[in-house]
Amino acid sequence: MPPSDRDFKSSDALQPASRWPAANLFRNPFGELTRSERAELAVVPVAEIVAAIGEPSVDEPAIGDAPLKFRPWSAYQMIGECGRGKTTRMLAIAKAFPSSSYVYLPEDQPCPTIPTGEPLLIDEAQRLPWRIRRKVFASGATLVLATHQDLSTALRRAGYTVTTEKIGLSLSVGQLAEILNRRIVASRRDHRQPVPRISHEDADALIRRFGTDVRGIESYLYDIVQSQVNHHGEMRFID
C-alpha cells in the first residue's frame, strides 16, 4: 500500500475516545498512523544504515547527538517483500535527518519528481524508469533504496559502493512484541492506567501464523480490536 498523505490519516481519528474505555485506549492501536507517528514508533536498526553511508565529521554541524557527513557514491539498498519494514526504516531515517528527502514511486502511475537530499530515500526504487534511474545513479547522491529487485549491478556500474540488506528474513518474538506494544502504548487513553499487552506467547502465535509479515499481523489485530469495540471484558488479541 503506497504511503500517501491520505494513508497517514488515522482511520479512527474522528471516532469518540469512549469507544475503548475498558481497554484504556482512545483509538484502535493498529489503524493507520501518520508519517510522523510511524517514524516515532519505529523499532528498526537505522544505525547500521547510517554507518554504511555516512561518517563522523568535525566540519559539519551536528545532526542529533553526533556530527555526520554522508558519503557521495554510497548506496544502501533494502530488498524484501511488502510489509517487512522497508518503508518504516526509511521514514525513521527521514525523521532523524532533516537534510534527507523521501519519495515513493507509485505503481502504474507517472514517476514523481525525484528530489534532492542527503541522503535521498527512494521507496519502490525498482519502479524507476531507466532514463530517470540512469540520471539518479549518475548524480553520485547518497542513496537509500527500498526495492523488490537487486539494483547493485546498475549501482556499481555507475560507480557506487553498495551495501545490501535483505529485510524480513527473520523476526523474533521479542521484536514483534515490542513493535506491537509500542503502538498500543501510543494509543493509551489515560497514562496513569495500564493498557492491554501483547505477550510473548501472543507474538509467537502471530509469527507462526503470519511469518515476518508485520503489516499482515497489524491488519489482523486491527480487525480483532474492532470486533471487540463494544465489549466490556478483557481484550484478547489471540483467540
Side-chain angles (χ1 to χ4, degrees):
M1 181 181 295
S4 65
D5 290 339
R6 181 182 65 181
D7 292 328
F8 292 118
K9 295 179 181 178
S10 172
S11 59
D12 297 301
L14 300 180
Q15 299 295 341
S18 60
R19 293 189 73 190
W20 292 277
N24 191 30
L25 300 171
F26 69 86
R27 64 179 177 185
N28 189 322
F30 305 106
E32 294 169 353
L33 300 176
T34 66
R35 181 178 298 188
S36 177
E37 284 176 320
R38 287 185 67 180
E40 186 69 30
L41 298 177
V43 182
V44 293
V46 298
E48 293 183 9
I49 301 175
V50 173
I53 58 175
E55 58 191 14
S57 173
V58 297
D59 300 324
E60 299 291 331
I63 301 177
D65 296 329
L68 187 72
K69 181 177 182 179
F70 289 104
R71 291 191 296 270
W73 301 103
S74 295
Y76 194 100
Q77 69 167 352
M78 295 175 285
I79 304 175
E81 298 178 17
C82 294
R84 268 61 180 182
K86 300 188 300 298
T87 297
T88 300
R89 285 168 168 78
M90 300 186 90
L91 294 178
I93 293 172
K95 181 178 177 64
F97 299 99
S99 62
S100 67
S101 293
Y102 170 87
V103 61
Y104 174 85
L105 307 185
E107 187 174 12
D108 299 326
Q109 295 183 36
C111 182
T113 300
I114 304 299
T116 58
E118 283 193 299
L120 172 58
L121 313 166
I122 304 179
D123 203 346
E124 300 288 353
Q126 79 281 354
R127 296 174 182 165
L128 278 168
W130 74 270
R131 292 180 183 274
I132 298 176
R133 186 178 74 176
R134 184 174 61 180
K135 184 176 181 179
V136 170
F137 289 6
S139 71
T142 309
L143 301 175
V144 178
L145 309 175
T147 177
H148 293 264
Q149 299 174 5
D150 189 346
L151 302 175
S152 58
T153 298
L155 286 163
R156 291 193 178 99
R157 187 183 300 121
Y160 273 83
T161 299
V162 184
T163 302
T164 298
E165 179 184 5
K166 293 186 177 180
I167 303 294
L169 297 181
S170 64
L171 177 66
S172 72
V173 166
Q175 286 174 325
L176 180 60
E178 182 180 3
I179 290 169
L180 300 177
N181 283 322
R182 288 191 69 171
R183 294 191 63 148
I184 295 172
V185 170
S187 302
R188 182 164 51 186
R189 184 181 183 188
D190 184 346
H191 289 266
R192 297 168 297 180
Q193 301 297 323
V195 288
R197 304 283 293 181
I198 297 287
S199 67
H200 278 207
E201 290 76 13
D202 290 340
D204 181 62
L206 290 166
I207 290 173
R208 282 189 277 109
R209 179 169 181 176
F210 293 94
T212 61
D213 185 1
V214 175
R215 186 183 301 171
I217 290 170
E218 290 171 344
S219 178
Y220 167 78
L221 291 175
Y222 177 86
D223 291 338
I224 290 292
V225 173
Q226 286 296 113
S227 71
Q228 300 181 64
V229 65
N230 293 319
H231 291 187
H232 300 289
E234 180 181 357
M235 181 172 289
R236 295 176 56 85
F237 295 112
I238 302 295
D239 295 331

